[in-house]
């Protein structure tokens, strides 16, 4: 079975995003970028399926600017076999909407015919939490989102999902889309020899136009603003002082 | 303009708080019809009809909708979409599973986690772990969106909307339910609680989490946790507060043994009053706390529980 993992290049999770002074967006020039953390988890899961002999090939795909090739190399160094980069923007500040990403991914999937797609549950920049579900809809496939456990059983995947009340287990027919939640696994670090080896693994470069997908956004960003700040309050010296402050504030 | 709102129905009961907050967010956009779907949904439908501002309630009772699998519920919403300009749901995990699928089936973008409705096409939503607020304008003919309930007050009671039965849509037959693992709790639900007490890695173990729970019970509060506490197995996954967990905005939030990473702050910084208890006076959580107490949580928390 072939597994396909879409990976997104995003601002590193340790970096605090800064809004540009003109309100046009978040400043991404000279900011450290990394693979979306949920996508590292997705790649790890795919590699584990390969190590277990369930999957034969792991293909990673990224859609965005040329620099996303670095993100794909990271996935190859972790253990993916092959990468596809779909260049759909020139400027690092251009983000492609999940609907357009899902349409491009659908076109890639029509060619590649994977039996399982593992995406991240959300990208930590736009926090949309949408691409996997949209892709499932476009393909007419079943979806198992927010996965914390994935087992392949014949022609189905049994997936445990993190939901508001706790956990839910469902079974989806393959081919299907799974989206990875935080506790699915702990992604490995790529070792230096594997980073070197990854440089020789195949990375195909395409453009959105190759797939005939229109990436014109449906949402336009009117403005981006800093949220209202919260000022630091006071330090209290004892539990008694805390209790009296909370009483004054009327919250206990 | 007409709005279709997917009510949050769990085991036949309506989550009135989440649904009423979404109603409040949406009612300026037009008549709100609430859809209650489930293997039992009549009682939920009646509860929805009483929410102030609801114009109509549709009840789709069918085993297909019993476990809120995304594919059948999305198909039902799509079958109804023709009559509505806005299709929305409170941003619960169920809705986040379903609504992007609905949007893609209608060939429109989903607008996730709306924190303010500016007009019929324009919405605010937080991005980058709440470090920026984006105003987006949609050019799609229909808007499909989820509502960040922590950003809105609940609509009141006293409505008397009409309730009608809704036939089921076709079953896509792509997935089936296997099991639920849901902890029963008498505590208030995290996202609607007026008070929340959360523990982090500093609490140290699952057993030690009992001191967090004792304080929560004394306050009648819900219990939350940081990701580190959940990953370490101190607390169950559905307690996680943050960018990728639950978003809360209670009257009182008590953060205990939590350092205050941006991903955690994204889930709680809109709380009215924040208390932080941490032994490290440099911990970033103190930069947003109204009342900070530096010290060992194992001494402070039992003492606080006793003195409240
Ligand atoms: C600086 C900036 C400018 C923007 N400008 C505009 C604009 O001008 N117009 C506009 O309409 N919108 C704009 N946006 C918003 C943006 O288009 C969407 O809101 C955004 O893509 C939301 O989805 P997400 O990336 O959070 O994806 P999610 O749905 O949260 O991602 C889930 C998963 O899908 C996969 N995935 C997502 N994206 C990719 C990808 N590119 N390649 C491979 N896999 C992927 C990954 O597995 C990921 O984990 C802008 C955003 C930013 C940050
Ligand atoms: C993609 C992604 C998504 C994430 N999503 C979330 C999310 O939704 N929610 C979330 O919370 N995190 C999230 N995180 C994790 C986040 O970055 C932090 O790692 C996490 O919040 C840290 O948890 P913590 O504060 O409990 O632990 P730590 O940062 O380890 O802090 C523990 C604190 O306890 C204090 N302490 C220790 N012992 C005592 C004692 N005896 N008495 C008093 N204080 C004590 C310490 O001084 C320290 O400040 C995410 C990370 C990533 C990469």
């Amino acid at each position: 079975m072939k597994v396909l993992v879409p990976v997104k290049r995003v601002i590193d999770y340790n970096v605090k995003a800064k809004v540009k002074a003109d309100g046009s967006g978040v400043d991404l020039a000279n900011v450290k970028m990394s693979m979306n953390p949920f996508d590292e988890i997705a790649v790890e899961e795919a590699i584990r399926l390969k190590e277990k002999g369930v999957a034969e090939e792991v293909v990673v795909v990224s859609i965005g600017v040329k620099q996303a090739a670095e993100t794909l190399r990271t996935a190859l160094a972790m253990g993916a076999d092959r990468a596809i980069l779909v260049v759909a923007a020139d400027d690092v500040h251009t983000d492609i909407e999940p609907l357009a990403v899902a349409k491009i991914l659908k076109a890639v999937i029509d060619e590649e015919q994977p039996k399982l797609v593992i995406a991240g549950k959300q990208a930590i920049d736009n926090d949309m939490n949408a691409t996997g579900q949209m892709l499932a809809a476009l393909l007419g496939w079943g979806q198992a989102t927010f996965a914390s456990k994935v087992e392949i059983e014949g022609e189905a995947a049994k997936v445990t999902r993190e939901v508001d009340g706790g956990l839910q287990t469902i079974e989806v027919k393959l081919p299907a889309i799974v989206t990875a939640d935080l506790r699915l696994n702990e992604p490995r670090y790529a070792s230096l020899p594997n980073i070197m080896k990854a440089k020789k693994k195949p990375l195909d470069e395409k453009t959105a136009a190759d797939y005939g997908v229109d990436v014109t956004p449906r949402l336009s960003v009117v403005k981006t603003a800093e949220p209202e700040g919260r000022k630091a309050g006071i330090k209290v010296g004892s539990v008694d002082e805390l209790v009296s402050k909370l009483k004054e504030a009327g919250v206990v | 303009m007409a709005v279709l709102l997917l009510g949050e129905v769990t085991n036949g009961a309506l989550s009135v708080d989440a649904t009423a907050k979404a109603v409040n967010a949406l009612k300026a956009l037009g008549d709100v019809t609430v859809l209650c779907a489930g293997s039992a949904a009549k009682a939920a439908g009646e509860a929805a009809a009483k929410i102030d501002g609801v114009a109509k309630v549709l009840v789709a009772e069918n085993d297909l909708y019993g476990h809120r699998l995304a594919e059948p519920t999305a198909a039902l919403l799509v079958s109804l979409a023709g009559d509505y300009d806005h299709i929305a749901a409170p941003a619960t995990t169920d809705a986040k599973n379903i609504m992007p699928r609905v949007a893609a089936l209608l060939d429109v973008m989903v607008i996730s986690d709306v924190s303010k409705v500016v007009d019929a096409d324009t919405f605010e939503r937080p991005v980058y772990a709440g470090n920026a607020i984006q105003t987006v304008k949609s050019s799609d003919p229909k808007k499909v969106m989820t509502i960040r309930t922590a950003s809105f007050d609940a609509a009141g009671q006293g409505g008397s909307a009409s309730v009608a039965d809704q036939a089921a849509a076709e079953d896509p037959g792509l997935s089936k339910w296997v099991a639920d693992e849901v902890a029963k709790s008498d505590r208030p639900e995290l996202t609607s609680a007026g008070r929340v007490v959360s523990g982090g890695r500093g609490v140290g173990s699952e057993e030690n989490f009992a001191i967090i729970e004792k304080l929560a019970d004394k306050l009648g509060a819900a219990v939350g946790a940081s990701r580190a506490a959940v990953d370490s197995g101190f607390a169950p996954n559905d307690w996680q507060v943050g960018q990728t967990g639950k978003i809360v905005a209670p009257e009182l939030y008590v953060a205990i043994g939590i350092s205050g990473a941006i991903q955690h702050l994204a889930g709680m910084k809109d709380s009215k009053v924040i208390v932080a208890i941490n032994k490290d006076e440099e911990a970033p959580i103190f930069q947003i706390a109204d009342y900070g107490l530096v010290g060992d949580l194992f001494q402070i928390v039992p003492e606080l529980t006793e003195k409240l």
Side-chain angles (χ1 to χ4, degrees), chain A residues 13 37-38 124 182, chain B residues 200-202 226-228 240-245 257-261 263-264 277-280 283 295-298:
Chain A
Y13 83 97
F38 288 97
I124 58 158
L182 294 169
Chain B
R201 193 185 334 250
S226 71
R227 175 190 171 183
Q240 183 181 314
V241 171
Q243 179 188 12
T244 60
I258 292 178
S259 61
Q263 291 87 3
H264 188 78
I277 298 169
N278 196 302
K279 68 178 180 189
D280 174 10
D296 182 8
L297 70 91
F298 297 105

Side-chain angles (χ1 to χ4, degrees), chain B:
Chain B
M1 298 268 231
V3 180
L4 178 62
L5 172 65
L6 178 64
E8 179 72 8
V9 180
T10 311
N11 298 329
L14 184 75
S15 164
V16 176
D17 184 75
T19 309
K21 284 173 173 164
V23 169
N24 204 13
L26 296 161
K27 63 185 179 194
L29 295 174
D31 278 348
V32 178
T33 298
V34 178
L35 170 67
C36 293
S39 51
K42 286 224 162 55
E46 269 149 35
K50 294 199 185 89
I51 298 173
D52 201 20
V54 173
K56 194 175 169 192
V57 175
L58 297 175
V59 173
E61 241 184 24
N62 192 298
D63 285 343
L64 257 183
Y65 308 122
H67 300 288
R68 293 290 286 272
L69 294 170
E71 302 89 355
T73 307
L76 175 63
L77 283 163
V78 170
S79 75
L80 295 168
D83 299 333
Y84 303 93
D85 309 288
H86 295 83
I87 301 161
T92 58
T93 47
D94 277 342
K96 288 178 179 169
N97 189 23
I98 295 164
M99 300 310 271
R101 189 171 180 104
V102 171
L105 290 171
L106 296 170
D107 192 27
V108 303
M109 247 310 279
V110 68
I111 309 165
S112 304
D113 258 324
V114 167
S115 56
K116 187 174 170 187
V117 176
V118 179
D119 61 37
D121 305 312
T122 316
F123 310 93
E124 285 185 12
R125 54 181 303 269
V127 291
Y128 290 90
N131 284 307
I133 307 292
Q134 212 164 52
T135 307
V136 293
K137 193 171 158 96
S138 166
S139 58
D140 279 322
K142 284 185 199 295
K143 324 299 175 208
V144 175
M145 50 198 196
T146 60
I147 306 293
R148 173 173 281 222
T149 50
S151 304
F152 299 92
D153 293 328
Q157 292 285 307
S160 55
S162 63
V163 181
D165 284 334
Q166 174 59 48
E170 175 193 349
D171 176 9
L174 294 166
S175 60
K176 62 175 201 240
W177 172 82
V178 178
D180 283 331
E181 201 181 301
V182 174
K184 272 253 163 268
S185 163
D186 295 332
R187 296 198 184 97
E189 201 270 314
L190 192 51
T191 55
S192 59
R195 295 169 183 165
V196 174
V197 178
S198 288
R201 193 185 334 250
V203 177
S205 70
E206 191 182 355
E207 297 73 56
N208 290 349
F209 233 80
I211 69 166
I212 305 293
E213 295 176 47
K214 271 193 200 125
L215 174 58
D217 291 340
K218 187 74 177 269
L219 285 165
V223 186
S226 71
R227 175 190 171 183
V230 177
D231 284 3
S232 309
F234 307 169
N237 66 281
D238 51 308
W239 288 7
Q240 183 181 314
V241 171
Q243 179 188 12
T244 60
K246 287 182 180 160
I247 311 292
V248 302
E251 293 292 312
L252 175 66
Y253 188 90
V254 187
I256 301 168
I258 292 178
S259 61
I262 49 176
Q263 291 87 3
H264 188 78
L265 303 188
M268 46 64 80
K269 68 181 174 191
D270 292 329
S271 306
K272 298 252 160 53
V273 171
I274 297 173
V275 173
I277 298 169
N278 196 302
K279 68 178 180 189
D280 174 10
E281 62 177 322
E282 303 288 323
I285 189 81
F286 288 122
Q287 289 163 21
I288 62 141
D290 298 283
Y291 306 108
L293 184 49
V294 179
D296 182 8
L297 70 91
F298 297 105
Q299 273 157 21
I300 293 171
V301 177
E303 186 185 342
L304 181 60
T305 308
E306 194 190 301
K307 288 184 172 161
L308 276 168

